[in-house]
């Protein structure tokens, strides 16, 4: 089934202990839609770019079945730009620069054909833009997912809460869950956040995996221990793309299926970080993805005597 994604399509400047990628292709929606495109039939993108964004990447996305009708191109404008430097341990990172450019005046317009999309992902953006997308939907989608970050909790908490109230699954990291709830223990944070609206909550814990919550049910998926992580940029968005892509393919929003979706998200994220930027997401085969899923199964399976 089709899946609508709103978020950034961007240039990134990334420094990791393995190197420095300048003007690399990035953006939350880029990672999300590429990852999801391997799992579900039609990904519909809502975003904005300047006329500096390479045609080659747009062609790559279209070649993967990603619908770009909702991607606005501003003539004479510059695409969103983000620069970051990872710490030696690759877990923490510092944002060195964020230039909104064409995103500053982004007014998302959903093409008519997008308005009844059954699965929706609100990527990390201003809550105002996320709300504008929700307001243009006709009927109730089967599942609305959402990402956000500390920045919006500091800058626009009331508006953010309004959007959170309207979504089914919030996908955030542990630090964000703690800030949003004011609770340190993640189980308490999860209970608090679910009272704010979302029926499901996914808390990503980087190299320590991800937790899924629904009411008092909980599921834990590890991250695959890798010998080398070249670039963690986009891992969270790729996780969300794998997660939402799997749910929209299977059309099943039960807790049992969400568990599998968390594993698909973790598997796609583990592939993404093996090279810089979107490099690993350019050409994947289904058997490579299935092999990676099997490695997760092998990682946690054991015989109970
Ligand atoms: P992640 O590593 O999953 O947090 O996502 C990194 C991607 O998010 C990068 O490719 C950036 O272009 C994009 N990004 C960075 N800062 C922001 C922001 N404030 N809003 C939206 N997207 C951002």
């Amino acid at each position: 089934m089709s899946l609508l994604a709103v978020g950034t399509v961007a240039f990134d400047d990334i420094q990791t202990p393995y190197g420095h990628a300048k003007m690399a292709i990035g953006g939350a929606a880029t990672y999300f839609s590429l990852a999801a495109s391997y799992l579900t039939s039609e990904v519909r993108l809502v975003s904005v770019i300047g006329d500096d964004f390479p045609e080659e990447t747009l062609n790559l996305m279209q070649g993967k079945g990603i619908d770009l009708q909702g991607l606005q191109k501003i003539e004479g404008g510059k695409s969103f730009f983000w620069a970051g430097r990872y710490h030696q341990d690759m877990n923490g990172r510092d944002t060195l620069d964020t230039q909104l450019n064409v995103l500053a005046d982004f007014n998302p317009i959903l093409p008519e054909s997008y308005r009844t999309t059954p699965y929706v992902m609100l990527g990390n953006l201003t809550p105002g833009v996320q709300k504008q997308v929700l307001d243009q939907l006709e009927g109730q989608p089967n599942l609305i997912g959402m990402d956000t970050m500390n920045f919006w909790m500091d800058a626009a908490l009331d508006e953010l809460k309004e959007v959170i109230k309207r979504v089914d699954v919030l996908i955030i990291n542990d630090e964000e869950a703690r800030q949003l709830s004011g609770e340190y223990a993640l189980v308490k944070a999860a209970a608090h956040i679910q009272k704010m609206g979302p029926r499901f909550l996914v808390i990503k814990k980087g190299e320590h995996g991800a937790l899924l919550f629904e009411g008092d049910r909980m599921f834990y998926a590890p991250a695959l221990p890798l010998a080398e992580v070249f670039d963690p940029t986009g891992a969270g968005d790729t996780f969300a793309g794998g997660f939402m892509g799997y749910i929209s393919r299977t059309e099943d929003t039960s807790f049992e299926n969400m568990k599998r979706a968390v594993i698909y998200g973790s598997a796609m994220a583990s592939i993404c970080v093996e090279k810089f930027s979107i490099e690993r997401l350019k050409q994947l085969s289904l058997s490579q993805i299935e092999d990676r899923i099997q490695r997760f199964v092998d990682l946690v399976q054991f015989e109970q005597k």
Side-chain angles (χ1 to χ4, degrees), residues 7-12 14 25-31 80-83 86 93 95 97-98 100 103 123-126 147 149 151-152 204 232-238:
T8 46
V9 171
F11 286 117
D12 290 344
I14 306 159
I25 301 298
T30 315
Y31 283 104
F80 178 82
F81 173 79
W82 174 78
Y86 287 86
R93 74 179 178 201
T95 289
D97 196 5
T98 301
L100 295 178
L103 198 71
N124 175 30
L125 274 176
T126 62
D147 184 12
M149 67 188 292
F151 180 79
W152 302 118
K204 299 170 288 178
T233 310
D237 310 305
T238 303

Side-chain angles (χ1 to χ4, degrees), residues 117-131:
T117 309
Y119 297 88
V120 175
M121 178 68 195
L122 304 173
N124 175 30
L125 274 176
T126 62
V129 169
Q130 293 176 320
K131 180 176 176 297

Side-chain angles (χ1 to χ4, degrees), residues 161-231:
K161 283 184 177 169
E162 286 303 311
V163 184
I164 290 176
K165 206 187 279 178
R166 295 169 65 181
V167 307
D168 303 298
V169 48
L170 186 66
I171 307 172
I172 52 178
N173 71 30
D174 43 359
E175 208 183 294
E176 291 156 354
R178 288 185 172 118
Q179 178 165 345
L180 185 61
S181 63
E183 297 281 1
Y184 187 81
L186 292 179
V187 173
K188 282 189 182 170
H192 186 111
I193 292 168
Q194 286 176 94
K195 284 201 192 103
M196 295 166 86
R199 184 169 144 213
F200 300 98
L201 174 70
V202 176
I203 301 183
K204 299 170 288 178
K205 289 153 54 73
E207 66 169 334
H208 302 298
L211 288 161
L212 167 71
F213 296 89
E214 184 198 14
D216 49 20
R217 290 196 280 187
M218 186 167 47
F219 174 69
Y220 170 70
L224 190 68
L226 295 170
E228 276 169 333
V229 171
F230 274 88
D231 175 15

Side-chain angles (χ1 to χ4, degrees), residues 64-120:
K64 303 241 170 279
I66 300 169
D67 184 341
L68 301 183
Q69 276 182 81
L71 177 67
Q72 296 173 31
K73 189 179 193 174
I74 309 295
E75 291 305 323
K78 282 172 75 178
S79 302
F80 178 82
F81 173 79
W82 174 78
R85 183 168 46 219
Y86 287 86
H87 303 162
Q88 203 61 32
D89 67 3
M90 289 292 233
N91 281 323
R93 74 179 178 201
D94 298 315
T95 289
L96 304 178
D97 196 5
T98 301
Q99 293 173 20
L100 295 178
N101 298 326
V102 291
L103 198 71
D105 302 311
F106 182 38
N107 176 22
I109 314 254
L110 265 55
E112 199 54 49
S113 60
Y114 281 27
R115 294 181 185 218
T116 52
T117 309
Y119 297 88
V120 175

